[in-house]
Amino acid sequence: MKKKTIEVKEFTQELDIFIKNMLETMYNADGIGLAANQVGNGVSILIVDENSVEKNKRSPIIMINPIIKLFGGDDVEYQEGCLSIPQFFENVIRKDDISIEYYDEKMKLKKLETNGLLSRIIQHEFDHLNGILFTERITPLKRALSKGKLRKIESGQTTPHYDMILPNGELLKADKQSK
Ligand code: CO
């Protein structure tokens, strides 16, 4: 998961099935975003759905080969979590505005300018595609304070209620009791 993902050249039926599985995984885990390499596929695909948790209203956006062209606006501090790092939440400072280009499932080029929560989720997932975890973006002090907890999570001692791929690529099966 620390490796950079590779570009999608052609939209195949396998990818179509894979994306449907990604969406299912994300919704099962009450997530609002997921990157392909979090579930063991090293391609450049991310999905986001900022409405899925709070309003239980599904409106996923699928981004293939996304590139953030521009970061702008204010620095905003906001608490993040990650399906790959269960039970860990910490503030991360990110730019509010982004301009992003990506391909949709018809391999049509799309452009999106956004801010707020949607911008934040996209930046977090875009980081995943580049092998960066949000724990690398917290302050060194906070990271030092969380070292023990993070090590426990990474070694699989903290089990989430959904199947997940650990940073070392291993599959961790869900602990249904902990839901
Ligand atoms: Co994440």
Side-chain angles (χ1 to χ4, degrees), residues 3-177:
K3 253 173 58 189
K4 257 190 86 133
T5 48
I6 55 159
E7 220 174 76
V8 174
K9 300 277 184 213
E10 183 191 359
F11 194 81
T12 59
Q13 207 187 338
E14 284 75 30
L15 274 186
D16 189 42
I17 294 165
F18 173 68
I19 288 169
K20 288 190 171 75
N21 289 338
M22 273 181 85
L23 287 165
E24 204 185 313
T25 300
M26 179 176 78
Y27 291 132
N28 279 342
D30 295 327
I32 49 179
L34 191 68
N37 54 338
Q38 284 183 272
V39 284
N41 191 335
V43 290
S44 183
I45 297 175
L46 66 82
I47 59 172
V48 290
D49 189 344
E50 62 173 329
N51 293 315
S52 65
V53 175
E54 270 177 40
K55 299 168 205 160
N56 208 19
K57 188 178 82 188
R58 294 185 172 180
S59 48
I61 306 173
I62 290 132
M63 295 185 167
I64 299 169
N65 303 337
I67 295 176
I68 297 178
K69 292 289 194 182
L70 217 73
F71 294 86
D74 296 333
D75 287 334
V76 180
E77 191 169 3
Y78 193 83
Q79 194 184 61
E80 295 190 16
C82 180
L83 297 186
S84 298
I85 311 169
Q87 296 162 39
F88 183 80
F89 303 92
E90 194 49 86
N91 283 358
V92 179
I93 297 168
R94 295 189 191 268
K95 287 288 180 193
D96 195 23
D97 306 334
I98 55 165
S99 169
I100 186 164
E101 285 186 8
Y102 64 96
Y103 292 85
D104 68 7
E105 291 161 280
K106 295 185 175 90
M107 292 308 271
K108 272 231 170 77
L109 184 65
K110 299 267 182 172
K111 289 175 192 188
L112 175 71
E113 284 176 19
T114 189
N115 59 10
L117 181 61
L118 183 59
S119 166
R120 176 159 300 259
I121 308 166
I122 292 170
Q123 290 182 62
H124 176 115
E125 303 311 331
F126 182 74
D127 271 353
H128 273 299
L129 296 179
N130 288 296
I132 301 165
L133 298 174
F134 87 97
T135 48
E136 294 169 60
R137 294 206 183 273
I138 65 180
T139 62
L141 176 66
K142 279 179 181 157
R143 202 162 49 232
L145 290 171
S146 312
K147 222 172 137 185
K149 195 170 183 189
L150 285 173
R151 194 179 299 134
K152 223 172 140 183
I153 293 165
E154 278 166 19
S155 62
Q157 290 176 57
T158 312
T159 315
H161 64 265
Y162 44 84
D163 290 349
M164 59 165 265
I165 313 277
L166 292 171
N168 63 11
E170 259 174 56
L171 175 73
L172 182 64
K173 290 298 282 182
D175 174 8
K176 300 289 179 196
Q177 309 300 318

